[in-house]
Amino acid sequence: MEKGKISALQMAIMMYPMIVASAILGVPSITAKYAKNDLWLSPIFASIIGYVTVYIVYKLHELYPKQTVIQFSEHILGRLLGKILGLLFLFFYIQTTGVILREYAEFIVDSFLVRTPISVTMASMVLLCAFIVYGGLEVIGRAAQLFFPLFIFPLLILIILVVPDFEFKNIFPILGDGIWPPIKGAIVPSGWFTEFFMVIFLFPFLTDKKKGMKYGMLTVFAVMVTLVVVNLVVLFVLGSATSSKVYPLMNVARYISIAEFFENFESAVMAIWIVGTFIKISGFYYVAVLSTAQWLKLSDYRPIIWPIGILIVVFGFWSIPNTLEIERFNEGTFPLFGLIVQTIIPLLLLLIAVLRKKKRKKTESS
């Protein structure tokens, strides 16, 4: 079904913007509500979920090296239960892609294209992503490589230019209320780290599979460092006002003004968001299409790209009726739903697979 191949490095380059793109805008304000000036510690605790998820995924991949979770869940649980679990994964990825699409459209319409109907913004992004998904995994990997500098350089430039506005005293007192507030602040970011489960759909198509675990862990570390740095930058500039902002990084960008000429750096934040979200939606879209094709046992996933695209747009409107629901979804529903589907269920699958393997060995030896 998928004849394309990518390297472990390409996988890492794909996963990095997929996690960071949506996290850097909302995570600082969400974590600041719980952790206050210790918000920079929350991504460190949240990353533990990412490391655990990658480890679970790699162990499952070792047991079933040529299959995705949609395929090997039937071997582990049986045909009926495997089909039901596969349907859960299909619903999760189509619905999550719709939510990501709606978040992207809300940000663009609220901040820049205020007169553009949100349906036009959503449909145009899905249309663009559909073409790259049609090209397959290899095309998505190459696109991620191409756009990666456009994602990382504006972020680095923004951080460098805003350094003169830093108030380093905002970080104190460190752990003034103990370690519990940063841990509470890590609950929401941990939802984004569970998205590393998506590498289960990429491992079977790696050219250097032995490096999959290594690059997966390195990507988790890179995402953690990025979120820590972004949280610190926002804290140093906005201080206690961070928790009251919807998009704190956008507010930080407005502080940049060099000689009253080089300013209005919000466009850099927009560039980071659009490039990262394009890769993220393309990745989730591809996983949703591939999973559906494997669940239906089709010989090719391309005929269902457009129907799934329409479903994604529909779920975007159905899941998030208004802007306020985005914040409620990110703070309440998504972390728990993501943890259950992308970490706990795979862990149970791994335990069942290991136990069945041991039982089979005992039977053969006896």
Side-chain angles (χ1 to χ4, degrees):
M1 185 180 297
E2 175 58 73
K3 298 179 180 179
K5 296 287 184 179
I6 61 172
S7 66
L9 178 60
Q10 284 178 312
M11 179 194 73
I13 292 174
M14 283 176 59
M15 292 303 301
Y16 178 82
M18 285 172 63
I19 309 298
V20 171
S22 54
I24 58 175
L25 288 185
V27 162
S29 61
I30 294 173
T31 53
K33 291 179 183 178
Y34 303 98
K36 297 181 181 179
N37 60 304
D38 291 322
L39 76 163
W40 60 278
L41 291 171
S42 295
I44 299 175
F45 295 118
S47 66
I48 296 172
I49 297 294
Y51 292 120
V52 171
T53 302
V54 172
Y55 178 79
I56 293 170
V57 166
Y58 189 75
K59 288 300 178 182
L60 283 169
H61 171 69
E62 284 185 328
L63 294 174
Y64 304 95
K66 296 182 180 180
Q67 298 179 344
T68 69
V69 67
I70 304 297
Q71 296 168 315
F72 64 65
S73 59
E74 293 187 29
H75 293 283
I76 296 174
L77 300 177
R79 183 176 177 80
L80 179 60
L81 290 178
K83 282 291 185 183
I84 294 173
L85 182 59
L87 187 62
L88 174 64
F89 283 117
L90 296 186
F91 174 81
F92 176 81
Y93 281 108
I94 293 174
Q95 190 256 354
T96 302
T97 310
V99 172
I100 297 166
L101 179 66
R102 183 61 183 268
E103 287 179 334
Y104 157 79
E106 289 285 354
F107 173 72
I108 295 298
V109 171
D110 290 346
S111 303
F112 299 98
L113 307 179
V114 293
R115 295 185 179 181
T116 304
I118 193 169
S119 57
V120 173
T121 307
M122 294 172 67
S124 59
M125 175 57 84
V126 168
L127 179 65
L128 184 62
C129 293
F131 285 112
I132 195 171
V133 171
Y134 191 86
L137 181 61
E138 194 169 335
V139 174
I140 299 175
R142 290 179 179 179
Q145 277 186 296
L146 177 65
F147 290 119
F148 185 76
L150 298 178
F151 177 81
I152 200 70
F153 286 148
L155 182 61
L156 292 175
I157 294 171
L158 186 152
I159 293 172
I160 293 170
L161 293 180
V162 84
V163 168
D165 296 297
F166 279 6
E167 292 288 344
F168 293 99
K169 63 182 180 181
N170 291 340
I171 199 175
F172 298 107
I174 298 175
L175 295 177
D177 296 322
I179 199 172
W180 184 241
I183 293 177
K184 288 176 66 178
I187 294 174
V188 175
S190 66
W192 276 286
F193 278 98
T194 62
E195 292 179 352
F196 277 99
F197 174 72
M198 283 186 61
V199 297
I200 194 70
F201 297 95
L202 307 180
F203 278 159
F205 309 112
L206 295 183
T207 55
D208 44 357
K209 295 183 180 182
K210 292 182 179 179
K211 295 181 179 179
M213 176 83 155
K214 172 185 173 183
Y215 278 94
M217 292 296 186
L218 286 175
T219 310
V220 175
F221 179 76
V223 171
M224 179 201 72
V225 170
T226 303
L227 294 183
V228 169
V229 171
V230 168
N231 282 8
L232 282 173
V233 169
V234 172
L235 176 65
F236 289 153
V237 175
L238 299 179
S240 59
T242 301
S243 59
S244 63
K245 307 296 182 182
V246 179
Y247 303 117
L249 196 63
M250 181 69 73
N251 296 94
V252 168
R254 295 190 177 109
Y255 276 76
I256 298 174
S257 180
I258 300 176
E260 297 183 356
F261 172 75
F262 193 74
E263 51 188 13
N264 297 324
F265 211 69
E266 297 96 322
S267 57
V269 179
M270 182 180 178
I272 296 168
W273 175 256
I274 291 177
V275 171
T277 306
F278 170 68
I279 299 299
K280 182 163 190 170
I281 294 176
S282 298
F284 272 80
Y285 193 172
Y286 171 79
V287 167
V289 170
L290 181 67
S291 300
T292 303
Q294 290 178 338
W295 191 77
L296 295 173
K297 297 190 182 299
L298 303 178
S299 59
D300 189 10
Y301 62 81
R302 288 173 178 84
I304 62 172
I305 288 177
W306 297 111
I308 295 296
I310 295 171
L311 271 179
I312 288 171
V313 175
V314 171
F315 270 80
F317 284 105
W318 173 70
S319 302
I320 308 292
N322 53 60
T323 307
L324 293 176
E325 289 297 323
I326 294 178
E327 186 174 352
R328 292 176 184 174
F329 179 83
N330 286 334
E331 291 188 36
T333 307
F334 176 68
L336 179 61
F337 195 23
L339 183 66
I340 292 173
V341 175
Q342 299 184 115
T343 303
I344 295 177
I345 290 179
L347 177 59
L348 294 176
L349 284 175
L350 178 61
L351 292 175
I352 295 171
V354 170
L355 290 174
R356 290 187 65 178
K357 186 178 179 181
K358 287 184 178 179
K359 185 178 179 180
R360 194 181 306 116
K361 285 184 177 179
K362 286 182 179 180
T363 304
E364 291 174 355
S365 61
S366 61

